[in-house]
């Protein structure tokens, strides 16, 4: 029997929080050489200012996987593994569909999806698992409709996603799930080529079909489907649990007050993405007195950065009255999350609706029994048992 891999320090959590040893590193050694199973020369960066530099200077820190064992991602449509000018070309095609103005068009449909799932949750009765019955299906249906992916296929692509993101599993198993997921999407893209619809895949084919081959289009759609439901799903579940642990702040959101502020504070405080895609130093670079050599891997800790005292006081405390707009929950720089406006819209609708529908919403188990994910690129909950 293969033992589970040791969780590297940048991916460890203590419930909602980064572990104390990670925050201590930020104070004592904000740029530290670390050992990773897949990289001999790796650096962990934990300070906010240093991470902004890494994320901002694409000419010095590359996202391209060339030269590291992460699979054949280059030119595959996996946008996070692109550098300019290819990144610029591909993102330019996608950006118009993710502007705040475009996303507002989806608001009535998102409201319907949220209310339909609340109806189903209420009718099914208590207790219930909020992850399976609300937090996961709502963003899944939204991203399916936006992309043009049949929602009835959700069991298949969610199964692949759960394997791809479970880093306790063998790499061969995770790679097989990624290949199966891309094969599913490749078939879907081929169907859209024949008859492009009004969805995003159809738009890309109609407007950029000559610039995008099927391999690249498959990769783009696969990434958007994976990221579009996994991240928002975990924010909905973790955010609900966090509010249940802070009833005074929950009451504000239920009343429709400070909703935008609550979402930004949840994003900062939870920082569900541990680090994003590792960077590769293109040249020798100095950060906080350490010399990172060309070819070295750089891992940036987002939970640590989002609690750096440079952003404000008492950041270990969840407080929805804060005004911190420069958090890094969505990253920073040219790889800043494309879907951020959509995620914010979904949360802005879902949290008040959930709390208003169930005025007595509560955990169905003690907090200590809520199962957090063990080792995944996206922090979250395996399930969230609730009652009302």
């Amino acid at each position: 029997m293969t033992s589970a891999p040791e969780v590297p320090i940048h991916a460890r959590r203590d419930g909602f929080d980064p572990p104390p040893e990670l925050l201590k590193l930020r104070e004592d050694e904000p740029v530290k050489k670390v050992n990773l199973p897949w990289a001999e020369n790796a650096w962990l960066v934990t300070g906010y200012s240093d991470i902004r530099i890494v994320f901002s200077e694409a000419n010095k820190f590359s996202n391209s996987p060339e030269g590291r064992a992460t699979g054949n991602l280059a030119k595959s449509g996996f946008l996070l593994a692109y550098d300019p000018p290819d990144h610029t070309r591909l993102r330019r095609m996608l950006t118009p569909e993710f502007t705040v103005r475009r996303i507002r068009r989806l608001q009535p449909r998102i409201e319907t999806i949220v209310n339909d799932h609340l109806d189903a949750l209420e009718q099914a009765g208590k207790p219930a698992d909020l992850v399976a019955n609300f937090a996961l299906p709502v963003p899944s249906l939204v991203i399916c409709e936006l992309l043009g992916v049949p929602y009835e296929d959700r069991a298949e692509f969610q199964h692949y996603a759960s394997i791809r993101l479970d880093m306790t599993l063998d790499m061969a198993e995770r790679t097989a799930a990624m290949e199966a997921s891309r094969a599913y999407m490749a078939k879907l893209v081929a169907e859209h080529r024949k008859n492009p619809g009004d969805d995003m895949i159809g738009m890309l084919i109609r407007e950029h079909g000559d610039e995008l081959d099927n391999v690249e289009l498959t990769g783009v759609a696969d990434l958007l489907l994976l990221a579009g439901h996994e991240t928002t799903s975990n924010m909905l579940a973790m955010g609900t649990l966090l509010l249940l642990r802070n009833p005074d702040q929950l009451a504000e959101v239920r009343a429709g007050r400070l909703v935008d502020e609550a979402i930004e504070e949840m994003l900062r405080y939870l920082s569900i993405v541990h680090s994003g895609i590792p960077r590769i130093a293109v040249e020798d670079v100095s950060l906080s007195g350490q010399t990172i050599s060309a070819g070295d891997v750089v891992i940036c800790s987002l939970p640590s950065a989002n609690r750096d005292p440079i952003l404000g006081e008492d950041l270990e405390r969840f407080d929805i009255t804060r005004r911190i707009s420069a958090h890094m929950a969505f990253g920073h720089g040219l790889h800043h999350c494309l879907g951020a406006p959509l995620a914010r819209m979904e949360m802005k609708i879902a949290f008040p609706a959930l709390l208003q529908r169930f005025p007595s919403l509560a955990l169905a188990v003690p907090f200590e029994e809520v199962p957090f994910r063990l080792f995944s690129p996206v922090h979250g909950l395996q399930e969230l048992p609730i009652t009302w």
Side-chain angles (χ1 to χ4, degrees):
M1 180 177 177
T2 304
S3 59
E6 180 183 357
V7 180
I9 188 171
H10 72 273
R12 295 176 199 163
R13 296 294 178 106
D14 182 8
F16 297 126
D17 304 319
E21 60 266 28
L22 184 65
L23 302 182
K24 190 173 189 306
L25 271 184
R26 187 188 63 219
E27 303 308 314
D28 298 342
E29 296 181 85
V31 179
K32 178 178 173 59
K33 202 158 194 178
V34 293
N35 293 319
L36 296 174
W38 48 272
E40 292 182 2
N41 296 306
W43 295 85
L44 175 60
V45 182
T46 49
Y48 180 87
S49 298
D50 287 329
I51 291 174
R52 279 181 69 95
I53 292 172
V54 174
F55 285 179
S56 299
E57 300 187 5
N59 59 321
K60 295 181 181 178
F61 299 95
S62 169
N63 276 45
S64 172
E66 294 173 7
R68 76 174 186 254
T70 58
N72 186 24
L73 297 178
K75 307 300 182 289
S76 69
F78 190 79
L79 189 62
L80 296 178
Y82 276 45
D83 290 328
D86 286 327
H87 175 271
T88 309
R89 170 184 61 84
L90 199 53
R91 183 151 176 146
R92 174 179 51 81
M93 300 177 197
L94 297 170
T95 298
E97 290 301 303
F98 285 99
T99 62
V100 172
R101 187 167 60 87
R102 291 284 186 99
I103 293 301
R104 281 202 193 105
R105 297 179 311 176
L106 298 174
Q107 182 171 344
R109 180 59 185 143
I110 295 173
E111 290 172 348
T112 298
I113 290 170
V114 165
N115 288 323
D116 286 349
H117 282 83
L118 290 175
D119 289 343
L121 184 61
E122 190 172 20
Q123 291 165 11
K126 57 186 176 181
D129 174 13
L130 191 74
V131 172
N133 293 284
F134 185 73
L136 181 56
V138 166
S140 295
L141 182 51
V142 171
I143 197 64
C144 280
E145 292 193 1
L146 184 64
L147 284 175
V149 174
Y151 184 59
E152 56 268 24
D153 293 347
R154 65 192 181 280
E156 182 177 1
F157 68 70
Q158 286 172 358
H159 170 70
Y160 296 144
S162 67
I163 296 174
R164 292 168 73 174
L165 295 177
D166 186 349
M167 298 185 75
T168 66
L169 298 177
D170 182 82
M171 189 63 192
E173 187 175 356
R174 293 174 58 217
T175 300
M178 181 184 72
E179 290 173 350
S181 182
R182 287 181 65 92
Y184 163 80
M185 190 59 72
K187 181 180 178 182
L188 201 61
V189 164
E191 293 171 359
H192 278 260
R193 282 278 186 189
K194 298 175 185 175
N195 185 26
D198 295 329
D199 45 70
M200 188 177 295
I201 296 177
M203 178 278 292
L204 289 170
I205 289 170
R206 287 194 308 275
E207 298 183 12
H208 305 286
D210 294 339
E211 303 171 70
L212 283 170
D213 62 22
N214 277 10
V215 172
E216 206 163 41
L217 183 54
T218 293
V220 169
D222 179 61
L223 174 61
L224 291 176
L225 180 63
L226 177 66
H229 77 271
E230 273 292 334
T231 50
T232 307
S233 165
N234 284 290
M235 277 302 302
L236 290 176
M238 292 270 282
T240 300
L241 180 60
L242 182 58
L243 289 173
L244 288 171
R245 300 289 288 172
N246 293 272
D248 291 348
Q249 301 188 68
L250 180 150
E252 292 294 305
V253 177
R254 175 177 279 135
R257 296 187 295 264
L258 297 175
V259 176
D260 290 340
E261 293 84 352
I263 290 168
E264 295 310 309
E265 176 67 351
M266 285 180 197
L267 287 164
R268 179 201 71 82
Y269 187 82
L270 295 173
S271 298
I272 61 169
V273 176
H274 302 302
S275 61
I277 294 293
R279 268 61 171 181
I280 303 293
V282 176
E283 58 187 53
D284 292 355
V285 182
S286 178
L287 278 182
S288 286
Q290 298 285 0
T291 299
I292 299 172
S293 300
D296 286 358
V297 174
V298 179
I299 305 289
C300 294
S301 172
L302 301 183
S304 173
N306 282 336
R307 298 193 184 194
D308 192 319
I310 197 172
L311 290 176
E313 298 180 355
D314 196 20
L315 296 181
E316 301 306 308
R317 183 171 57 87
F318 176 65
D319 179 4
I320 66 174
T321 67
R322 290 189 203 277
R323 298 292 189 274
I324 295 179
S325 60
H327 64 71
M328 290 196 187
F330 289 120
H332 176 72
L334 61 88
H335 285 282
H336 182 272
C337 177
L338 191 65
L342 178 60
R344 285 187 169 107
M345 172 72 76
E346 291 180 74
M347 289 187 280
K348 184 175 181 178
I349 293 169
F351 283 121
L354 170 67
L355 299 177
Q356 290 163 11
R357 178 67 68 93
F358 301 109
S360 57
L361 186 71
L363 283 177
V365 299
F367 173 73
E368 294 73 22
E369 295 181 15
V370 175
F372 286 81
R373 282 184 169 183
L374 298 176
F375 185 10
S376 167
V378 182
H379 190 40
L381 304 175
Q382 295 177 36
E383 60 182 46
L384 181 58
I386 57 164
T387 188
W388 55 87

